[in-house]
Amino acid sequence: MERAHAITALAGENIESVVSVLDAVRVSGATTRPEIARVTRLGRNVVTDRAAQLIAAGLLTEGPLGRSTGGRAPRELRFNAAAGVILVADLGATSIEVATADLAGSISNARGEAADVTLGPTHILSRVAELFDELVDSLPGDAHVWGVGVGLPGPVEFDTGRPVSPPIMPGWDGYDVRSFFASRYHAPVWVDNDVNVMALGELRGGLAAGHQDVVFVKIGTGIGAGLVSRGLLHRGAQGCAGDIGHMAVGESTVQCRCGQLGCLEALAGGHALGRDGLELAHSGQSPVLAGELAAGHEVTAQSVVDAALRGDPAARRLVTESARLLGGALARVVNFFNPSLILIGGGVASAGDLYLSQVRLAVLGRSLPLATRHLEILQSPLADRAGLRGAAFMVVDELLSPAGLSRTHDQLLIS
Ligand SMILES: [Zn+2]
């Protein structure tokens, strides 16, 4: 109760400087009051006052004495990442992943299962809620859920948390995902496209840290990209920036799930690899995939990737052709957007260098030399965890923003 009032009290007229001091510790890694003053350019007295408010609210804790630079050693301040718990879910076309996270975006209790997103929001979100309930039951008694973060495999209007005409999610258009969870957990909820969330995970806790302009590409069943511009996620006017999977890549008679012909993901995505792999298995052109089929195994994108890595020539051709098409599309993105880093994640990226080397060749072959001089193209190191971590950072960054702290926090903190 007392701490709830202390947090609510933060949301007064000093909110901007309170958040500056908090961010100096939480994001920039400053540990002492003099360092915070340098980072924030606030006066020492202001820093001392705001830090005292944040300590009373339980968001900062006082640590041991820091290193002395002549005078009295300053006392270290630490961000109290354990102050609250975030529930996070990363929904793919065929999977659900859930976890709890602390306020520093560290994931615990992660668990996942297969799920079919086309079964619709009531079915899928009810299952996510059951998994969340199990996570909440396992939390210590004094833990509070401060927020919920959800990534969805389609375009999302970020301001409302509603999916917008998602091509692979029948029944989800306009569904109020935010209210579904807000009413259950009495906590604010943020929802975004899964690839945006993964880009945020890499930006705040992965290889993209320190980069200002980043493209994160996910090649799962489909293909999508999350864009980071000047250190911030670029969602676009309606939340569908980076939807590169439906770029037309030349003449094609292959129809995409969106109804158009010749989309990148219809030719190069995981669904396409599985489809073409099955054909190679049936025709016997790929001995490895034919063997999989004969053994009663399903031929999926992953089996094509595995066969390619085992040296099966026909499977290798499929994988490298996917990489070449993706690289061609990315060359256009590079000329248009000029990123310093492209990270490639999703199941197909598990082909590693076999895939990345072809993407690099195609990008370098068709981009402006100036745009590629310092461009790195790498495999996403967070892989599966990027979505969960990103969902946590999405929530924490919103909660601990001036607008987030200005909301009434009593409901979050009074059990
Ligand atoms: Zn399409």
Side-chain angles (χ1 to χ4, degrees):
M1 188 70 187
E2 217 167 78
R3 216 176 86 208
H5 285 306
I7 284 210
T8 308
L10 292 177
E13 58 194 24
N14 297 326
I15 187 69
E16 296 288 341
S17 52
V18 166
V19 170
S20 293
V21 170
L22 181 60
D23 281 353
V25 179
R26 183 174 80 89
V27 183
S28 307
T31 55
T32 65
R33 289 171 181 80
E35 261 178 75
I36 295 168
R38 263 198 307 280
V39 170
T40 59
R41 302 187 182 188
L42 293 168
R44 294 273 182 109
N45 292 341
V46 175
V47 169
T48 300
D49 175 73
R50 305 303 183 263
Q53 285 187 55
L54 287 161
I55 290 169
L59 287 172
L60 293 184
T61 55
E62 197 114 43
L65 286 177
R67 208 158 37 86
S68 166
T69 50
R72 197 157 54 94
R75 201 166 275 283
E76 290 197 341
L77 290 169
R78 297 209 174 118
F79 176 53
N80 182 17
V85 174
I86 311 293
L87 295 174
V88 288
D90 182 21
L91 308 192
T94 57
S95 62
I96 296 175
E97 304 276 339
V98 298
T100 56
D102 68 12
L103 300 182
S106 295
I107 296 296
S108 349
N109 310 313
R111 48 183 300 189
E113 62 184 36
D116 180 359
V117 78
T118 64
L119 292 174
T122 317
H123 181 96
I124 294 292
L125 296 182
S126 297
R127 182 58 191 148
V128 173
E130 282 173 16
L131 294 169
F132 275 170
D133 288 345
E134 287 170 22
L135 292 176
V136 170
D137 287 344
S138 69
L139 293 172
D142 59 344
H144 296 283
V145 175
W146 276 28
V148 179
V150 181
L152 295 180
V156 173
E157 189 180 58
F158 187 69
D159 288 342
T160 62
R162 293 171 190 261
V164 185
S165 310
I168 62 162
M169 301 166 68
W172 288 77
D173 187 22
Y175 190 86
D176 193 353
V177 178
R178 182 176 282 173
S179 296
F180 183 93
F181 290 111
S183 58
R184 274 175 177 71
Y185 302 103
H186 308 290
V189 180
W190 283 274
V191 186
D192 202 351
N193 171 262
D194 62 343
V195 189
N196 282 348
V197 165
M198 291 173 90
L200 190 61
E202 291 288 0
L203 181 71
R204 295 293 313 282
L207 260 194
H211 283 264
Q212 293 291 304
D213 300 282
V214 180
V215 175
F216 178 91
V217 183
K218 179 188 178 190
I219 329 167
T221 310
I223 296 179
L227 309 178
V228 173
S229 175
R230 304 184 75 105
L232 295 172
L233 212 49
H234 175 84
R235 295 189 171 92
Q238 263 75 42
C240 56
D243 205 354
I244 63 168
H246 304 284
M247 282 168 77
V249 290
E251 297 294 308
S252 168
T253 54
V254 179
Q255 188 167 38
C256 180
R257 294 177 294 181
C258 74
Q260 299 282 350
L261 295 178
C263 292
L264 175 65
E265 76 170 42
L267 299 174
H271 176 78
L273 280 183
R275 176 197 64 209
D276 297 347
L278 186 61
E279 222 167 88
L280 292 181
H282 279 305
S283 69
Q285 287 179 73
S286 160
V288 173
L289 292 174
E292 291 285 314
L293 195 62
H297 299 150
E298 204 186 338
V299 174
T300 61
Q302 195 58 51
S303 31
V304 173
V305 167
D306 292 342
L309 290 174
R310 285 167 61 187
D312 182 277
R316 262 183 107 90
R317 273 198 298 279
L318 276 192
V319 170
T320 51
E321 177 62 7
S322 161
R324 197 187 64 79
L325 288 168
L326 177 68
L330 286 177
R332 289 189 258 164
V333 172
V334 165
N335 288 336
F336 181 78
F337 191 67
N338 191 195
S340 58
L341 174 67
I342 296 177
L343 284 174
I344 302 191
V348 178
S350 64
D353 267 346
L354 173 66
Y355 202 87
L356 255 61
S357 59
Q358 290 298 319
V359 173
R360 286 192 193 103
L361 272 179
V363 170
L364 295 178
R366 290 204 235 164
S367 303
L368 300 169
L370 182 61
T372 53
R373 190 178 293 166
H374 301 293
L375 174 64
E376 290 181 280
I377 301 176
L378 303 170
Q379 191 173 344
S380 160
L382 292 183
D384 297 348
R385 286 294 174 85
L388 292 173
R389 295 206 68 181
F393 282 122
M394 167 173 73
V395 172
V396 174
D397 288 353
E398 294 287 342
L399 273 178
L400 302 182
S401 69
L405 284 175
S406 295
R407 301 155 70 107
T408 306
H409 276 65
D410 300 57
Q411 63 175 39
L412 306 182
L413 298 170
I414 300 168
S415 49

